[in-house]
């Protein structure tokens, strides 16, 4: 998934302009920009001005400067955060707002959603249709304000959605409860490993999504993952993770299944945080087919 697709068309042009600078250096000719982006001179001029205004509004020392010989220079200070800048754009993109709203406001009515996002009913459902085109790669769809499809696919969609869009500190504030940090320490101890800061952030994000999805447990679909569950249920690492999650989730007033362990196990393997200990060649074949699919989705 490429969350850049959630941006409005003119917003996408701004990051295409930035990409040209990142690929060619801080100074690029106006002619090269127009040729590389395949847009008209008036459109390029307009979007360069808009990008300059947005850069300056985000950081007072950031700018696009016109110099001699038809050159355009990109000036970014050392403390300029490209991810924060990207998030500022995403926060204004309607498709991004819709997907975020659906995750964080599970019980709200369509009417309230329309009012908060300032969209008409026709505009909202037109956006739903566009979003569903992006969701096809995960084989899930948006219907009646809910993502419909295999739960494993929904989890990996949200993981990519959040990891590519929200700044770390924003996600920690929204998803990473203190209990999750304690769980991560238990996982490290039981697996006899130490996660790096970046790895701990990934695990915390996954577990935060897991807890948020408990509210949807009545409508979750797991059938597609049943063969994988059967192939893993006697695997030592899977059993260890199931025991860890079982003790942790027992404090919540929710029912949970072994599929939670399947999805968590797949995530840890896809991110290279653990190694499997499977012995049976048939199980290995099924299992690694699944991992290959997940890894290809992560890098799409």
């Amino acid at each position: 998934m490429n969350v850049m697709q959630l941006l409005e068309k003119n917003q996408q042009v701004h990051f295409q302009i930035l990409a040209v600078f990142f690929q060619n250096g801080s100074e690029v000719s106006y002619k090269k920009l127009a040729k590389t982006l395949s847009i008209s001179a008036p459109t390029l001029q307009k979007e360069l001005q808009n990008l300059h205004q947005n850069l300056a509004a985000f950081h007072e020392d950031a700018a696009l400067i016109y110099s001699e010989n038809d050159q355009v220079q990109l000036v970014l200070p050392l403390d300029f955060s490209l991810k924060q800048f990207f998030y500022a754009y995403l926060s204004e993109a309607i498709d991004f707002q819709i997907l975020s709203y659906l995750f964080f406001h599970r019980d709200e009515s369509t009417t309230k959603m329309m009012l908060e996002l300032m969209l008409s009913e026709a505009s909202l459902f037109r956006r739903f249709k566009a979003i569903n085109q992006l969701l096809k790669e995960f084989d899930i769809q948006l219907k009646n304000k809910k993502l419909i499809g295999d739960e494993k696919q929904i989890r990996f969609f949200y993981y990519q959605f959040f990891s590519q869009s929200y700044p770390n500190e924003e996600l920690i504030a929204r998803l990473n409860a203190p209990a999750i940090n304690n769980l991560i320490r238990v996982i490290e101890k039981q697996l006899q490993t130490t996660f790096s800061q970046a790895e701990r952030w990934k695990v915390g994000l996954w577990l935060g999504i897991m807890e948020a999805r408990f509210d949807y447990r009545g409508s979750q679909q797991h059938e597609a993952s049943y063969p994988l569950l059967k192939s893993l249920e006697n695997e030592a690492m899977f059993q260890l993770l199931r025991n860890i999650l079982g003790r942790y989730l027992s404090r919540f007033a929710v029912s949970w299944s072994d599929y939670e362990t399947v999805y968590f196990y797949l995530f840890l393997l896809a991110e290279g945080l653990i190694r499997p200990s499977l012995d049976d060649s048939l199980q290995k074949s099924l299992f690694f087919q699944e991992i290959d699919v997940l890894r290809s989705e992560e890098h799409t």
Side-chain angles (χ1 to χ4, degrees), residues 41-57:
T43 298
L44 177 58
Q45 181 65 34
K46 174 186 174 183
E47 298 308 336
L48 282 172
Q49 292 176 352
N50 291 337
L51 177 56
H52 169 73
Q53 292 172 0
N54 290 340
L55 286 168

Side-chain angles (χ1 to χ4, degrees), residues 148-163:
I148 305 299
D150 185 64
E151 185 64 20
K152 168 175 57 65
Q153 295 300 105
I154 293 174
R155 299 287 178 94
F156 273 87
F157 161 72
Y158 272 128
Y159 178 75
Q160 291 195 36
F161 173 75
F162 283 117
S163 61

Side-chain angles (χ1 to χ4, degrees), residues 181-195 200 237 240-241 244 247:
N181 291 326
N182 295 332
L183 176 58
I184 293 173
R185 285 192 285 269
V186 171
I187 293 170
E188 288 178 315
K189 182 178 180 180
Q190 293 296 316
L191 299 185
Q192 298 181 3
T193 189
T194 301
F195 296 137
R200 287 178 65 86
M237 182 68 74
L240 177 61
L241 290 173
I244 294 171
R247 290 194 298 271

Side-chain angles (χ1 to χ4, degrees), residues 3 9 32-34 48 111 123 136 154 169 179 183 212 235 253 290 296 300:
V3 294
K9 295 299 183 183
K32 183 177 182 65
L33 281 169
L48 282 172
T111 301
S123 295
K136 281 185 177 180
I154 293 174
E169 54 272 24
L183 176 58
E235 202 274 326
E290 193 74 25
S296 66
T300 300

Side-chain angles (χ1 to χ4, degrees), residues 23-76:
Q23 293 166 5
N24 295 276
S26 61
E27 196 166 298
V28 179
S29 71
Y30 186 88
K31 184 180 295 185
K32 183 177 182 65
L33 281 169
K35 182 178 180 181
T36 303
L37 300 175
S38 299
I39 58 179
S40 66
T43 298
L44 177 58
Q45 181 65 34
K46 174 186 174 183
E47 298 308 336
L48 282 172
Q49 292 176 352
N50 291 337
L51 177 56
H52 169 73
Q53 292 172 0
N54 290 340
L55 286 168
F58 182 79
H59 195 298
E60 61 182 0
D61 295 326
L64 283 174
I65 300 174
Y66 292 86
S67 56
E68 297 179 358
N69 301 321
D70 197 33
Q71 296 292 107
V72 184
Q73 182 181 10
L74 173 66
V75 177
L76 297 180

Side-chain angles (χ1 to χ4, degrees), residues 138 195 286:
F138 290 90
F195 296 137
L286 172 63

Side-chain angles (χ1 to χ4, degrees), residues 185-249:
R185 285 192 285 269
V186 171
I187 293 170
E188 288 178 315
K189 182 178 180 180
Q190 293 296 316
L191 299 185
Q192 298 181 3
T193 189
T194 301
F195 296 137
S196 67
Q197 183 175 356
E199 290 170 341
R200 287 178 65 86
W201 180 86
K202 291 179 180 180
V203 176
L205 171 57
W206 181 269
L207 294 173
I209 293 170
M210 177 190 74
E211 289 194 17
R213 289 296 297 172
F214 284 159
D215 283 353
Y216 288 103
R217 62 191 180 281
S219 60
Q220 289 179 6
Q221 300 176 26
H222 304 286
E223 292 79 6
S225 298
Y226 179 75
L228 187 59
L229 171 60
K230 300 304 291 183
S231 74
L232 287 173
E233 58 186 3
N234 295 320
E235 202 274 326
M237 182 68 74
F238 178 83
Q239 294 281 359
L240 177 61
L241 290 173
R242 179 165 61 180
N243 291 336
I244 294 171
L245 286 182
R247 290 194 298 271
Y248 176 73
L249 296 176

